[in-house]
Amino acid sequence: MASILSKNQKKKQDYTLKELKSLGSDLLSSRAHIKNLPLLLSFISPESPPQFVVESLLSLQSFFTPLLSQLPSTSSSSSTKRPRSEEDDDDTSNKKTDEDPEVIFNAWLRSKLDEFVKLLLDVLVSQQSEDTLRDIVLGTLMEFVKLLNAGRFHSSIFHRILNAIIHSAVDIDVFLDILTSKYVKYIDVRYFTYISMEKFVKTLEASAVVSGALVSDRTVIEHSETENESKDSLELSIRKIYQVLSPIPPPQKQAEKSDHEMWSGSDESSSSSEKPKDKKKKNKDQDSSLLSPTTIAKRMKLKFTKAWISFLRLPLPLDVYKEVLASIHQTVIPHLSNPAMLCDFLTKSYDIGGVVSVMALSSLFILMTEHGLEYPNFYEKLYALLVPSVFVAKHRARFLQLLDACLRSSLLPAYLAASFTKKLSRLSLSVPPSGSLVITALIYNLLRRHPTINHLVHQETVETANEANSEAEESNECRPKTNKNLGIDYFNNQESDLKKTGAMRSSLWEIDTLRHHYCPPVSRFVSSLETDLTVRAKTTEMKIEDFSSGSYATIFGDEIRRRVKQVPLAFYKAVPTSLFEDSDFPGWTFNIPQEEGKC
């Protein structure tokens, strides 16, 4: 056999496409032409012309497909190359039949099938392969996933496919386009994708721990280049895992029948008929090998949860981190079996500060309001996020809406509501006009919800003041007294402790300053605070979403669509002869006599 292979290998380049097709036809016609099998396998290579690869692939697939039920689950050669899958049946063939030629032949065929699968994976992830060829190769591999395990989903081959894709140098979008368009719609494909992703994450966690240990060890500083390469490889793998997880539709509470469609072809009747009659012999392995659509649908949320929780434990790159935080409250939290499992991830994200904290607020707010999460110093951290840059951030709209929701409770202490109101008032002087508009709306809602801070709108002065009162006592008073010295603002803008900001002794003089704002919409909108907000029956809250997405463009658009009754025009009944009129400067004259011959 070895001599035949070497002889054929030498003549491999001399074969034409027609001769290759003839070799496949001979192989399919009779077992006598079995020697064509190794030769056809030699053409499954990234170096071979694409048409030769496709022709060999079709012949080999047609040859192996009818024999899959006759082949052993593993061969002696293949079992040493890869671990045994959970779905493969236990190889209980009697050792007495080892010398049977048919058994030996089937074992050899099985080894060639394993070699065929390995060669297909090499072609799939090769940079030399064309996209059309990758589509054909991936389709062949998925057919083996469907048929090789006695009609049940072959998770081992599917795991190898995903492993090759994630570790490939080829852009993963090429593979994701094929997977999402053809296979993600099947419930068992999604189910085993979550299982594979969890396995990949555990492997990456181990490698991350090892690389972290190397970095901390000063004796291996000379290997910094290797460490950087391993770090880059780790980040690339994390990005690819996220790209695989993110487009998978999350499990639904009440999935439709179309969502229960199986790639492996199993259905309720077939799976139920294959279950063992003796209930005592049932175990977890048998249940996993006989997964029905209903069983998978029930377990889907658990696998979804394990995959995402494992992924979020990885050291995510900053761009992936932000992208996850921006969508996790919609795509992940509602579908977790226990959303409280995200509390560690979200609280750590919220403690980072800056834009990361702003993006984590949405998910953290859901856990606090819907799942009973208790987060100490939440309002202190929220107060620290109020900086001018947040009003021009990409996700400012969501943040400002959540800020309004967090301050909606009427049970908030007066000093807390006053601190937020005063902080926003101070920010209105340094943010763009769109920020001043939304700040005015936020302050309007705060004053309406908390009547105990309405004195900030008009703070009266008195002759005497009790300077010995502590800040905590002053914060509990509805109308605290202030010093008679005018022009002094007792609010400390740099103080992080809400009880010590001095907001209850201050006033909203910044809002009065906005009356003279250079942007007309801002100066007009400030007048809304002149109404008596203590009478809740006559007023309504402002919708922050109407202002949170504002910008210079939106303000300009609103102004040009606004109808005005009077428009100032530069109109003169007579052509002016000078820059100023005599009436503009009483007692002065601008009539300067000109000398002749001079301009």
Side-chain angles (χ1 to χ4, degrees):
M1 180 67 70
S3 61
I4 296 176
L5 288 177
S6 61
K7 182 178 180 181
N8 290 335
Q9 186 68 23
K10 293 179 182 179
K11 297 182 179 181
K12 174 183 174 181
Q13 297 179 355
D14 299 333
Y15 280 93
T16 63
L17 188 61
K18 185 176 181 181
E19 292 173 340
L20 192 63
K21 187 175 182 179
S22 178
L23 290 175
S25 301
D26 294 341
L27 178 63
L28 296 174
S29 62
S30 173
R31 184 181 290 190
H33 300 282
I34 193 63
K35 65 180 180 180
N36 295 345
L37 176 58
L39 181 57
L40 290 171
L41 283 173
S42 66
F43 286 95
I44 308 297
S45 170
E47 289 77 17
S48 300
Q51 60 270 24
F52 282 65
V53 176
V54 173
E55 188 62 42
S56 301
L57 183 152
L58 295 177
S59 299
L60 291 172
Q61 182 181 4
S62 301
F63 172 76
F64 280 116
T65 300
L67 302 176
L68 293 179
S69 59
Q70 305 174 18
L71 300 181
S73 57
T74 57
S75 63
S76 58
S77 60
S78 63
S79 62
T80 60
K81 294 180 181 178
R82 63 179 179 86
R84 189 182 185 85
S85 64
E86 296 178 358
E87 284 69 29
D88 290 341
D89 296 332
D90 294 333
D91 189 6
T92 58
S93 53
N94 198 335
K95 293 183 179 180
K96 296 181 180 180
T97 62
D98 286 348
E99 298 180 357
D100 187 353
E102 192 66 25
V103 175
I104 297 175
F105 179 72
N106 288 337
W108 180 79
L109 286 179
R110 176 62 199 227
S111 67
K112 294 303 174 184
L113 175 61
D114 293 338
E115 182 182 353
F116 182 38
V117 172
K118 183 180 182 302
L119 292 173
L120 289 176
L121 290 173
D122 293 340
V123 175
L124 178 67
V125 298
S126 174
Q127 293 181 330
Q128 302 177 19
S129 301
E130 300 177 354
D131 292 346
T132 306
L133 180 59
R134 290 194 183 99
D135 195 352
I136 297 174
V137 170
L138 184 56
T140 303
L141 289 170
M142 291 301 295
E143 286 296 323
F144 286 143
V145 170
K146 177 194 295 186
L147 303 173
L148 188 56
N149 195 24
R152 296 187 294 271
F153 196 94
H154 202 294
S155 62
S156 177
I157 294 181
F158 185 68
H159 181 77
R160 293 172 64 188
I161 294 174
L162 294 179
N163 182 69
I165 291 175
I166 288 178
H167 294 91
S168 170
V170 182
D171 187 5
I172 194 173
D173 292 335
V174 176
F175 306 106
L176 292 180
D177 291 341
I178 304 174
L179 288 173
T180 54
S181 62
K182 294 185 177 181
Y183 305 108
V184 171
K185 62 182 179 181
Y186 298 103
I187 187 173
D188 50 353
V189 173
R190 301 197 299 268
Y191 179 82
F192 286 102
T193 299
Y194 290 136
I195 294 177
S196 295
M197 291 301 105
E198 183 184 1
K199 293 179 180 178
F200 292 144
V201 168
K202 290 181 179 179
T203 303
L204 288 178
E205 281 182 331
S207 63
V209 171
V210 172
S211 62
L214 289 176
V215 171
S216 61
D217 189 359
R218 295 183 179 181
T219 62
V220 291
I221 297 178
E222 61 273 12
H223 300 293
S224 59
E225 294 183 0
T226 305
E227 293 169 4
N228 291 334
E229 292 178 0
S230 62
K231 183 179 179 181
D232 294 340
S233 176
L234 177 63
E235 288 189 359
L236 182 60
S237 298
I238 292 175
R239 295 178 195 276
K240 289 186 176 182
I241 290 177
Y242 176 69
Q243 287 178 285
V244 173
L245 277 176
S246 55
I248 302 178
Q252 302 296 330
K253 294 182 179 180
Q254 295 180 350
E256 300 178 356
K257 292 183 179 180
S258 59
D259 295 331
H260 288 174
E261 188 177 0
M262 301 271 285
W263 170 250
S264 58
S266 302
D267 54 19
E268 296 287 348
S269 59
S270 62
S271 61
S272 61
S273 62
E274 293 177 0
K275 291 181 181 179
K277 296 180 181 180
D278 190 358
K279 296 183 179 180
K280 296 182 180 180
K281 294 183 179 180
K282 289 184 178 180
N283 52 36
K284 294 182 180 180
D285 295 335
Q286 290 173 333
D287 290 341
S288 62
S289 63
L290 297 172
L291 289 175
S292 65
T294 304
T295 305
I296 289 180
K298 291 179 180 178
R299 299 181 184 179
M300 183 70 77
K301 178 174 286 191
L302 178 61
K303 299 302 180 183
F304 174 89
T305 301
K306 288 184 176 180
W308 273 102
I309 296 298
S310 300
F311 172 73
L312 294 177
R313 286 199 296 263
L314 293 174
L316 305 180
L318 184 59
D319 57 335
V320 176
Y321 201 169
K322 292 180 179 180
E323 192 172 346
V324 169
L325 289 175
S327 59
I328 194 175
H329 63 285
Q330 295 177 338
T331 59
V332 178
I333 292 180
H335 310 287
L336 293 176
S337 57
N338 183 14
M341 298 173 68
L342 283 177
C343 62
D344 290 339
F345 171 76
L346 293 175
T347 51
K348 290 179 181 178
S349 302
Y350 193 61
D351 292 339
I352 291 176
V355 67
V356 175
S357 297
V358 172
M359 300 175 72
L361 177 62
S362 180
S363 301
L364 191 62
F365 181 75
I366 293 176
L367 293 187
M368 293 177 61
T369 56
E370 299 180 12
H371 302 283
L373 175 66
E374 295 184 2
Y375 184 80
N377 301 326
F378 171 78
Y379 284 100
E380 284 76 3
K381 297 289 180 61
L382 181 62
Y383 184 80
L385 295 179
L386 294 178
V387 292
S389 60
V390 79
F391 291 90
V392 293
K394 180 179 179 181
H395 303 280
R396 66 183 182 277
R398 180 64 181 168
F399 169 76
L400 294 171
Q401 294 173 29
L402 288 172
L403 175 63
D404 183 64
C406 293
L407 300 174
R408 184 168 294 161
S409 175
S410 59
L411 301 179
L412 294 179
Y415 71 86
L416 190 147
S419 296
F420 273 91
T421 303
K422 183 61 181 178
K423 181 75 171 183
L424 290 170
S425 179
R426 184 65 58 87
L427 286 172
S428 66
L429 302 178
S430 56
V431 298
S434 58
S436 299
L437 289 174
V438 70
I439 284 176
T440 305
L442 287 168
I443 293 178
Y444 178 94
N445 289 344
L446 284 169
L447 293 175
R448 184 178 181 275
R449 296 166 187 164
H450 308 280
T452 53
I453 66 172
N454 269 268
H455 64 277
L456 297 178
V457 177
H458 181 65
Q459 184 75 280
E460 296 180 356
T461 60
V462 294
E463 293 294 330
T464 60
N466 188 3
E467 298 293 339
N469 290 339
S470 64
E471 184 65 27
E473 293 176 349
E474 293 174 354
S475 62
N476 294 328
E477 297 178 1
C478 295
R479 298 183 61 84
K481 299 177 180 180
T482 60
N483 197 290
K484 63 179 181 179
N485 297 326
L486 299 178
I488 298 178
D489 191 350
Y490 294 95
F491 174 69
N492 185 358
N493 193 39
Q494 306 300 325
E495 179 61 54
S496 58
D497 190 347
L498 300 182
K499 294 181 180 180
K500 300 179 180 179
T501 59
M504 292 293 288
R505 301 172 61 187
S506 182
S507 63
L508 302 181
W509 59 265
E510 299 91 347
I511 301 300
D512 186 67
T513 305
L514 294 182
R515 296 176 184 271
H516 310 286
H517 198 279
Y518 71 90
C519 186
V522 175
S523 57
R524 288 196 302 266
F525 191 51
V526 172
S527 61
S528 61
L529 296 177
E530 296 178 356
T531 58
D532 187 3
L533 299 178
T534 58
V535 184
R536 297 174 59 90
K538 297 182 179 180
T539 58
T540 57
E541 286 196 358
M542 292 188 179
K543 295 181 179 180
I544 301 301
E545 55 266 24
D546 296 340
F547 306 93
S548 56
S549 300
S551 62
Y552 284 105
T554 58
I555 293 177
F556 180 77
D558 293 339
E559 282 297 295
I560 61 176
R561 289 190 297 268
R562 181 171 173 266
R563 293 184 177 182
V564 293
K565 297 180 179 179
Q566 295 181 353
V567 180
L569 297 176
F571 174 74
Y572 301 94
K573 295 182 179 180
V575 178
T577 59
S578 61
L579 182 61
F580 301 106
E581 299 289 340
D582 293 340
S583 59
D584 295 337
F585 299 91
W588 293 78
T589 179
F590 296 95
N591 296 326
I592 301 177
Q594 297 182 356
E595 298 180 4
E596 295 182 358
K598 295 184 180 180
C599 297

